[in-house]
Amino acid sequence: MRLILGSASPRRKELLAQIGVVPDAILPPDIDEDPQRGELPRPYCLRLAREKALAVDAGPDDVVLCADTTVALGRRILGKPRNAGEAAAFLVALGGRRHSVITAVAVRRGERLWLREVVTAVKMKRLSDVELNAYLSSGEWQGKAGGYAIQGLAGAFVPWISGSFTGVVGLPVAETAALLAAAGWPVHGGCA
């Protein structure tokens, strides 16, 4: 039995290490992550986590762990910005408002699939032009849902969250530990 992490995210690997879990292989699947027409954020996030888990090539006893993190402003999905202009638009839209960060986790072993979503409410302050331009210049927005990483420089822009900090980073560790344990993977981090 092997644990396969279906994600290239170094943050997800670090979060797993916090609970004593080290993947045997890292095999990020290549799937289409575009939202379907009219798709809402929560179903979108769950669909992507499920599709990622099903797309990873694994043996019948292997445990596959995949996740997807989506930033939602109401019914609007703010994915990974394509460029600095889109990142700026996302950050301006989020400024001074509460939004949701949804992380869906999928664990697969053989034909069985376990899914869990964690929704965290986040408030970002309004950014000054200086703050916005400095953040965009850092490049940290690249590859990040909503255009920001709470565990990095943007942590200074978030005065309040209600929910799972690790879920906002990209992998809610308590829920992930419980899913891994349900799939028969030994978790010794004390969370399962």
Side-chain angles (χ1 to χ4, degrees):
M1 180 168 62
R2 297 181 309 155
L3 176 63
I4 301 170
L5 176 59
S7 173
S9 165
R11 287 153 303 285
R12 289 191 176 123
K13 187 178 172 189
E14 290 165 8
L15 289 168
L16 283 173
Q18 284 183 16
I19 57 170
V21 175
V22 178
D24 297 298
I26 296 176
L27 301 172
D30 183 20
I31 66 163
D32 178 4
E33 296 192 24
D34 290 334
Q36 295 171 353
R37 186 175 176 88
E39 193 169 29
L40 295 174
R42 287 172 77 163
Y44 163 76
C45 196
L46 281 166
R47 178 179 63 81
L48 285 190
R50 180 186 304 108
E51 287 183 8
K52 288 176 183 181
L54 295 173
V56 172
D57 188 30
D61 273 342
D62 291 341
V63 176
V64 175
L65 169 64
C66 293
D68 187 74
T69 300
T70 298
V71 172
L73 189 55
R75 298 166 61 96
R76 184 175 165 207
I77 296 168
L78 302 183
K80 297 172 184 170
R82 292 182 291 268
N83 54 50
E86 189 171 44
F90 286 175
L91 294 167
V92 168
L94 294 171
R97 300 173 70 183
R98 288 187 187 179
H99 62 278
S100 297
V101 178
I102 306 153
T103 296
V105 181
V107 172
R108 176 173 65 95
R109 183 173 182 188
E111 298 298 313
R112 298 228 23 217
L113 183 69
W114 294 264
L115 273 171
R116 181 86 187 266
E117 68 176 343
V118 174
V119 181
T120 302
V122 179
K123 183 170 183 186
M124 182 176 287
K125 72 177 199 144
R126 290 187 197 279
L127 304 185
S128 70
D129 288 344
V130 170
E131 290 169 323
L132 179 62
N133 290 325
Y135 190 70
L136 293 172
S137 294
S138 77
E140 188 177 87
W141 57 269
Q142 297 177 47
K144 307 292 189 308
Y148 74 92
I150 195 170
Q151 73 278 11
L153 299 171
F157 307 150
V158 179
W160 178 90
I161 76 165
S162 178
S164 170
F165 177 81
T166 57
V168 177
V169 175
L171 193 69
V173 294
E175 294 81 0
T176 299
L179 290 176
L180 288 171
W185 187 263
V187 179
H188 305 293
C191 298

